[in-house]
Amino acid sequence: MIRNFDKNKHSVYLLNYHLVMVVKYRRQVIDGDISKRLLEIFTYIGEKYGVTPIEWNHDIDHVHVLFKAQPQTEISKFLNAYKSASSRLIKKEYPQITQKLWKEMFWSKSYALMTSGGASLSVLKEYIEK
């Protein structure tokens, strides 16, 4: 099995994660436009933290993200920054959704974050696509 490793001056690494983030109380507010904007925000903030999305998909109440990170990436700080910024921007740019949210909270505090383990990226991409 051939894997595409990343590297920097002092290390070689392969850090792929599968992230699931849910809208607070599973409110059904994510459509194609909002999902696209959420991905743009994820990509922009990810650049500052060494996070790069590989695959993205959504349902009406949650998103799935397959992303890669660097060894120095502080995942929890990145996720907090992303959830705060994306919540603020989405509510500002799509004000109609605030009436569907609970106390205007967009994301649930919890999330699911899994390392990709031994699964190949193609298997994970296929899972997220479906």
Side-chain angles (χ1 to χ4, degrees):
M1 176 184 327
I2 298 174
R3 300 208 178 197
N4 294 326
F5 291 96
D6 292 313
K7 56 186 170 183
N8 59 29
K9 290 181 182 179
H10 305 289
S11 59
V12 176
Y13 54 92
L14 179 63
L15 300 171
N16 296 315
Y17 297 90
H18 177 196
L19 171 66
V20 182
M21 292 180 294
V22 178
V23 176
K24 184 79 171 184
Y25 296 117
R26 291 223 179 237
R27 301 292 192 200
Q28 300 179 352
V29 297
I30 301 176
D31 61 16
D33 289 337
I34 290 174
S35 176
K36 182 179 175 186
R37 183 64 177 125
L38 289 169
L39 173 58
E40 289 170 355
I41 298 165
F42 189 95
T43 303
Y44 177 77
I45 293 175
E47 290 174 2
K48 296 174 173 57
Y49 287 87
V51 169
T52 305
I54 299 169
E55 190 68 37
W56 177 280
N57 206 345
H58 76 280
D59 201 343
I60 55 178
D61 62 357
H62 66 279
V63 296
H64 284 268
V65 190
L66 177 62
F67 68 92
K68 64 181 183 175
Q70 299 172 356
Q72 69 273 18
T73 301
E74 296 181 80
I75 302 291
S76 62
K77 285 186 179 182
F78 162 70
L79 290 175
N80 287 335
Y82 171 72
K83 288 170 74 174
S84 295
S86 62
S87 177
R88 185 178 61 255
L89 290 169
I90 290 297
K91 289 184 294 187
K92 180 181 177 185
E93 295 171 16
Y94 300 89
Q96 69 276 12
I97 70 166
T98 57
Q99 55 194 276
K100 295 181 181 178
L101 299 174
W102 184 79
K103 293 187 179 181
E104 296 191 15
M105 296 178 117
F106 189 82
W107 295 114
S108 170
K109 287 183 180 179
S110 57
Y111 54 86
L113 179 66
M114 298 144 276
T115 58
S116 63
S120 69
L121 287 182
S122 61
V123 168
L124 290 169
K125 283 182 180 182
E126 183 179 338
Y127 172 75
I128 291 172
E129 284 174 7
K130 294 180 179 179

